[in-house]
Amino acid sequence: MTKTIGILAHVDAGKTTFSEQLLYRMGVIRTPGRVDHKNTLLDHDPMEQERGITVFSGLATFSYQDDLYYLLDTPGHVDFATDMERALSVMDYAILLISAADGIQPHTETLWHLLSVRKVPVFIFLNKCDRQDSHPDQVFHELTSRFSGEFLDFRDSQNARMPSARLQEDCASVSEPLLEAFLSGTFSPEKWLKEMQTLISRREVFPVFSGAALPGDGIDSFFRWFHDLTMTDRDPEQPFAARLYQIRYDAGNRIAFWKLESGRLRIRDTLDCGDGPEKVMDIRRYNGTRYTTLQEARAGDIIGIPMHGGHAGSIAGALQPDTYHIAPMMASTVHWDTRSVPGFQMLKNLRMLEDEEPELHVEQQGDKTRLRIMGPMQLDMIRRKMQERFSIAVEFGPPEILYHETLATSAIGIGHYEPLRHYAEVHLRLSPAPRGTGIHFRSYAHVDDLALNWQRLIRTHVLEKEHKGVLTGSPITDVYIDLLCGRAHLKHTEGGDFRQATYRAIRNALMYAQCLLLEPICGFDMSVPRDLYSSISGQLLQVKAECSAPEFDDATVRLRGYAPYALFHSFQEQFPRLTHGTGSLRIWQDHEAVCPEQDRIVRETAYAPLADDTPDSVFCAHGAGFTVHWDHVREWAHVEEPDLTAELHETNLDLPQQE
């Protein structure tokens, strides 16, 4: 079998040390590296070594008995959580490390939630049990009280083929077949093992182990259990399907990292992930920065392929696209010496970083270049990369909140694109959609008036990009975009014509609509000393936080709630000082709400909607194209809009094209 395992943890829980010990025992490295010695296999980036943290998901490969393992060591710091989430998409099993000295940290809960959403089976390893201040029993109890699921205590079981009587009894309590065997005295190690494999793979139980990664205590026993309790079932004879989860640049080569979910891939095969077919000329199996070349990859393998196309989240074959849950709530403007580095060159360099870290979402607004960011440590990483890779010194402006725009009222927009020998007209209705649902496309155009292939093309152009709002230039969201009618020309219409008409129609509707600015509302979960409760509560009132009832224990109080991130992010920055370094804080984007400071923000942004994406249309007369201003397009439109008071019927765009 081929298995992909991911190592996850809150920062400083010993994740990379655990990976090093495992790779040492599997014969991949001669001696286990140490983070403080800057000699670990997987933290090979200079910034990782300097900071002593994992920034990028590292990949290693080893064999154990008859199985091939791919190991992913993921970032633990929240600023690099998006890289960790991308790695989750290719994991068969996750090993979640929790420090027995520090307990369940805020980011641990985020990891648990994401693993639950993606239905990844989890093994838990309580680390640092050699420390005098460790309390593994208390952490185990904390697991059962704070996380949902059945946690089985494997900490005193050494034999993977013969569980202890206590463990047999615990397992029987969560499985009817095992309970029957236990009560009847017909316990079979083989039957027990098979049933446990099934329960773990279905996330019905979560085994808990303990040890100390630095001296290597408990690693051997843990992995014997892990090997026996895990299974995968992928078929290399099925049609090819693969998922791209990471892009990296290696000595100037762009490497796409793929997980093969089924089928095979051979040298000189063609791979198409939506950006056009590419011939595969090199297949690599990585161990840190080193790699070996393969002639063929099979289902379950993780491989690196030098290629031009694809991005993190791309798929090949019959797979569902990925949905990511961690997103930045801030952006920052990039500053550099424009006399020595022209704007187009800087944008090209930043696009390379965006290729590796898609959440950066490089955007150009007039003469401003912005990046979306998770936090200050990520900015340090970008600053270092720009200097080391491109010899360019960059600085960043103060963080800015990322807003969205939506609609309060419906509006109809018309886009017409008719320069000489081109033709397309599109009528779209934009209307409010439920909060948090994104962009929806519906077609009410009749196939007798606009063929299905053109309607499908319009849908593609509606959904292929983020469309800017007209208040601040922020992306629009929570909007129904309905195709009412349109027209093509038998001779002159090309695909790109409908792209132009669609973009202009959306922008045209936004100019007529009453628009709203949405701000991110973050959820927070913090633990602070009891004697700081009053002062922290006062600070939360100042940032307009809404809190649930506090939860007190012997020494701490837990506070949970929501707050506008525009106010809360300053509290987040001050939190270590406010709690004297003794508190813990987890935040996430929970939802969006109408911004009460809309007028002020629009005024300060001073966005010029007519200077950006155009709402105007292009018509043709006397053999030449001419532009019609957005508020006069209706007077020139060629298609008569349907009667909106009559019942409109939605067109099924998945029907086959009529002849």
Side-chain angles (χ1 to χ4, degrees):
M1 284 184 285
T2 303
K3 305 172 185 176
T4 299
I5 58 177
I7 315 296
L8 301 102
H10 182 87
V11 67
D12 292 334
K15 176 175 46 58
T16 299
T17 303
F18 179 92
S19 300
E20 289 289 312
Q21 286 286 356
L22 187 56
L23 294 175
Y24 165 65
R25 283 161 168 72
M26 297 300 116
V28 177
I29 53 180
R30 293 183 178 179
T31 56
R34 289 183 50 153
V35 172
D36 53 344
H37 294 172
K38 304 179 181 180
N39 62 347
T40 59
L41 174 70
L42 298 177
D43 284 351
H44 47 76
D45 185 272
M47 181 175 176
E48 291 180 312
Q49 295 175 351
E50 180 181 313
R51 297 264 184 171
I53 61 171
T54 301
V55 175
F56 310 108
S57 295
L59 175 64
T61 314
F62 61 87
S63 296
Y64 183 78
Q65 297 184 9
D66 295 328
D67 290 352
L68 176 65
Y69 286 89
Y70 291 95
L71 183 145
L72 291 167
D73 180 26
T74 65
H77 196 283
V78 67
D79 279 18
F80 308 106
T82 51
D83 189 282
M84 173 275 300
E85 188 182 8
R86 288 192 293 273
L88 290 181
S89 66
V90 298
M91 292 180 191
D92 298 320
Y93 293 89
I95 301 171
L96 179 62
L97 265 68
I98 300 174
S99 169
D102 301 319
I104 295 175
Q105 298 292 296
H107 191 53
T108 313
E109 298 202 25
T110 300
L111 295 172
W112 185 259
H113 171 71
L114 291 173
L115 289 165
S116 175
V117 168
R118 291 184 174 272
K119 297 180 172 57
V120 181
V122 183
F123 287 70
I124 295 170
F125 188 87
L126 305 182
N127 194 25
K128 302 187 179 182
C129 291
D130 57 334
R131 284 176 43 171
Q132 291 186 351
D133 60 345
S134 70
H135 38 269
D137 290 338
Q138 181 179 328
V139 176
F140 183 86
H141 175 72
E142 197 176 358
L143 271 173
T144 60
S145 62
R146 291 178 63 173
F147 293 163
S148 59
E150 294 287 348
F151 296 91
L152 296 179
D153 191 349
F154 279 68
R155 289 180 290 161
D156 62 353
S157 299
Q158 299 296 318
N159 190 338
R161 292 291 178 178
M162 184 54 68
S164 65
R166 180 199 56 77
L167 186 56
Q168 290 181 40
E169 185 175 352
D170 290 347
C171 294
S173 68
V174 297
S175 167
E176 189 171 328
L178 294 181
L179 177 61
E180 182 179 336
F182 181 77
L183 294 176
S184 63
T186 58
F187 175 83
S188 161
E190 291 74 20
K191 182 178 179 180
W192 178 86
L193 195 61
K194 187 173 182 179
E195 178 69 7
M196 288 304 300
Q197 287 176 342
T198 301
L199 293 173
I200 292 169
S201 66
R202 292 176 179 171
R203 287 179 50 88
E204 294 181 24
V205 300
F206 303 96
V208 180
F209 300 83
S210 63
L214 188 58
D217 298 344
I219 304 294
D220 291 323
S221 172
F222 165 79
F223 196 74
R224 285 195 299 269
W225 274 112
F226 183 88
H227 175 76
D228 284 341
L229 292 173
T230 55
M231 60 178 182
T232 57
D233 183 20
R234 286 190 173 82
D235 191 350
E237 306 309 321
Q238 291 295 314
F240 175 78
R243 190 180 304 278
L244 196 167
Y245 77 96
Q246 187 180 67
I247 298 290
R248 287 286 173 259
Y249 284 83
D250 180 7
N253 295 319
R254 184 180 186 271
I255 310 298
F257 285 86
W258 291 86
K259 167 72 174 289
L260 272 63
E261 300 291 350
S262 63
R264 306 169 186 262
L265 186 69
R266 301 178 178 88
I267 293 291
R268 299 191 179 279
D269 281 353
T270 298
L271 181 58
D272 190 348
C273 55
D275 296 331
E278 290 191 51
K279 184 171 286 190
V280 176
M281 302 305 294
D282 191 6
I283 300 176
R284 303 177 178 183
R285 177 178 288 160
Y286 273 83
N287 248 324
T289 57
R290 305 188 300 270
Y291 65 86
T292 57
T293 57
L294 306 175
Q295 291 299 307
E296 177 187 81
R298 296 160 56 94
D301 284 332
I302 293 184
I303 54 175
I305 302 176
M307 61 188 300
H308 300 291
H311 59 272
S314 290
I315 55 175
L319 293 175
Q320 289 295 320
D322 259 328
T323 300
Y324 297 109
H325 299 81
I326 297 177
M329 290 183 280
M330 297 184 297
S332 186
T333 302
V334 187
H335 301 289
W336 73 95
D337 185 356
T338 55
R339 295 168 298 179
S340 57
V341 183
F344 75 89
Q345 183 62 49
M346 188 63 178
L347 200 57
K348 179 182 177 181
N349 297 337
L350 290 172
R351 294 288 184 204
M352 289 183 66
L353 298 189
E354 181 188 42
D355 206 15
E356 296 178 310
E357 309 294 329
E359 74 279 356
L360 292 179
H361 199 86
V362 180
E363 59 182 347
Q364 192 79 34
Q365 286 191 355
D367 59 352
K368 285 176 52 176
T369 302
R370 294 204 318 168
L371 305 176
R372 298 182 184 180
I373 58 169
M374 294 291 294
M377 192 172 291
Q378 187 184 25
L379 288 181
D380 287 344
M381 181 269 293
I382 297 168
R383 189 181 292 110
R384 286 279 298 270
K385 274 193 168 186
M386 292 301 297
Q387 184 64 55
E388 293 171 0
R389 190 177 295 183
F390 307 113
S391 300
I392 300 175
V394 299
E395 293 299 332
F396 299 96
E400 306 167 19
I401 299 301
L402 284 171
Y403 296 98
H404 277 101
E405 297 183 30
T406 191
L407 303 183
T409 59
S410 297
I412 293 174
I414 300 173
H416 188 98
Y417 188 69
E418 192 189 359
L420 188 61
R421 298 187 181 88
H422 294 268
Y423 188 94
E425 182 167 303
V426 174
H427 293 230
L428 298 175
R429 176 179 58 193
L430 274 61
S431 54
R435 192 75 70 237
T437 59
I439 302 295
H440 309 261
F441 178 82
R442 303 178 296 195
S443 177
Y444 297 99
H446 199 284
V447 294
D448 291 343
D449 300 323
L450 189 63
L452 276 176
N453 63 308
W454 295 127
Q455 295 189 41
R456 291 173 181 141
L457 188 60
I458 292 169
R459 175 176 63 183
T460 297
H461 296 323
V462 165
L463 301 175
E464 70 188 357
K465 62 170 281 188
E466 286 187 338
H467 300 278
K468 296 178 183 178
V470 295
L471 297 176
T472 62
S474 302
I476 63 170
T477 190
D478 302 341
V479 174
Y480 290 112
I481 300 182
D482 301 333
L483 173 61
L484 301 178
C485 54
R487 180 175 292 175
H489 193 281
L490 288 174
K491 185 176 181 181
H492 296 309
T493 298
E494 298 177 358
D497 299 345
F498 272 106
R499 175 182 284 110
Q500 286 287 335
T502 300
Y503 290 179
R504 293 166 189 263
I506 292 173
R507 192 71 167 177
N508 189 264
L510 291 171
M511 294 298 292
Y512 284 106
Q514 179 184 345
C515 298
L516 297 173
L517 195 66
L518 299 177
E519 67 173 347
I521 304 298
C522 70
F524 62 85
D525 185 347
M526 70 181 72
S527 178
V528 300
R530 290 185 64 144
D531 59 352
L532 296 177
Y533 170 61
S534 296
S535 61
I536 294 296
S537 297
Q539 294 287 333
L540 291 174
L541 284 175
Q542 292 183 24
V543 297
K544 300 182 179 179
E546 298 180 11
C547 297
S548 57
E551 303 170 28
F552 292 93
D553 63 17
D554 293 340
T556 63
V557 58
R558 188 178 184 186
L559 299 169
R560 290 184 277 191
Y562 306 94
Y565 191 65
L567 300 175
F568 193 84
H569 80 93
S570 61
F571 171 84
Q572 178 189 3
E573 293 174 353
Q574 299 172 26
F575 184 78
R577 179 182 60 82
L578 294 172
T579 61
H580 313 299
T582 59
S584 64
L585 171 65
R586 178 173 71 102
I587 67 165
W588 62 93
Q589 180 169 338
D590 190 80
H591 63 282
E592 291 182 306
V594 175
C595 179
E597 298 290 321
Q598 174 173 313
D599 292 343
R600 177 184 62 80
I601 293 167
V602 170
R603 185 171 60 253
E604 292 175 355
T605 304
Y607 176 67
L610 296 179
D612 205 344
D613 295 345
T614 180
D616 301 338
S617 283
V618 178
F619 289 82
C620 186
H622 309 296
F626 62 96
T627 299
V628 172
H629 197 259
W630 66 271
D631 56 353
H632 292 286
V633 172
R634 280 174 168 73
E635 304 164 18
W636 291 81
H638 291 183
V639 182
E640 183 176 347
E641 290 181 4
D643 181 4
L644 298 182
T645 62
E647 184 179 2
L648 298 179
H649 297 281
E650 188 172 353
T651 302
N652 185 354
L653 299 189
D654 296 323
L655 289 172
Q657 175 64 56
Q658 296 179 352
E659 297 293 337

